[in-house]
Amino acid sequence: MSRKPRLKGRAARLARLFPARPRQAARTPFVLLVVLLLGGGLIGLLVLNSALSEGSFEMDDLQKDTKSLTDEEQALQRDIDSYSAPDALQRRARELGMVPGGDPAFLDPNGTVKGVPSAAAPRSPAAVRPPEALATLPAFPSAGTATAAGASSAAASPTAATTVSEPAATAPGVSPTAATPTTPGR
């Protein structure tokens, strides 16, 4: 068998610095460390992947909700547009018994009237509604408050509703002819 030769001199001194036989490093802790790092990495990737997929599902649900709400908003906007169309407004106003107004007249700050006021077109008797129909109509806040009795008395006498008073009195010291100048372009 092979026997190590004896070293002399300098080689012997250097050989004493090294251990007589090489030690084997313990492999078990290193293998456990590598396995733990790989297992932790895989578990971390699994958790990250599941969190991303959960966020993707939530995003899909929110996109579906957004689409349905957008469709609903568009349908409501179409309804608003159809109700606010001029012909629909005119039809609804006639159903409520309103008539088109005449040419407007304007008051200056000094009290003079600009324009020639004209009466509204008289309402046809067919447009007069019975009192019980007037009581069920919604009240408009800008029109003031009207009672059902006042509405029924106006409906009972169509001449009272169609009678137009004369233009408002002018300021003192102003003649009626000077108070009604014509507006340019009319």
Side-chain angles (χ1 to χ4, degrees):
M1 304 230 217
S2 83
R3 204 174 141 197
K4 287 186 176 179
R6 289 204 119 196
L7 299 174
K8 297 183 183 175
R10 187 172 182 204
R13 282 185 301 222
L14 286 174
R16 274 188 269 146
L17 293 176
F18 294 110
R21 71 182 169 147
R23 290 188 179 192
Q24 296 257 338
R27 290 187 178 192
T28 307
F30 178 71
V31 169
L32 283 176
L33 177 67
V34 169
V35 167
L36 286 175
L37 286 175
L38 287 175
L42 288 175
I43 290 173
L45 284 174
L46 179 66
V47 167
L48 181 65
N49 190 16
S50 64
L52 287 175
S53 65
E54 181 182 344
S56 175
F57 286 129
E58 287 179 12
M59 187 174 70
D60 287 341
D61 290 342
L62 290 174
Q63 285 176 343
K64 287 177 186 175
D65 290 345
T66 301
K67 185 180 181 307
S68 67
L69 289 174
T70 302
D71 291 344
E72 183 179 346
E73 177 192 15
Q74 289 174 351
L76 291 173
Q77 187 63 42
R78 279 192 304 271
D79 289 346
I80 289 171
D81 291 342
S82 70
Y83 289 134
S84 63
D87 58 338
L89 288 175
Q90 182 181 15
R91 181 181 42 79
R92 182 71 179 135
R94 287 191 186 195
E95 287 174 2
L96 294 173
M98 296 179 174
V99 293
D103 290 332
F106 301 97
L107 289 177
D108 278 338
N110 62 3
T112 61
V113 177
K114 282 191 174 182
V116 178
S118 62
R123 219 176 6 177
S124 66
V128 177
R129 294 175 166 244
E132 56 272 1
L134 290 174
T136 60
L137 293 176
F140 296 101
S142 62
T145 58
T147 62
S152 64
S153 67
S157 62
T159 57
T162 58
T163 305
V164 177
S165 63
E166 292 299 318
T170 59
V174 178
S175 66
T177 57
T180 57
T182 58
T183 54
R186 290 197 183 212

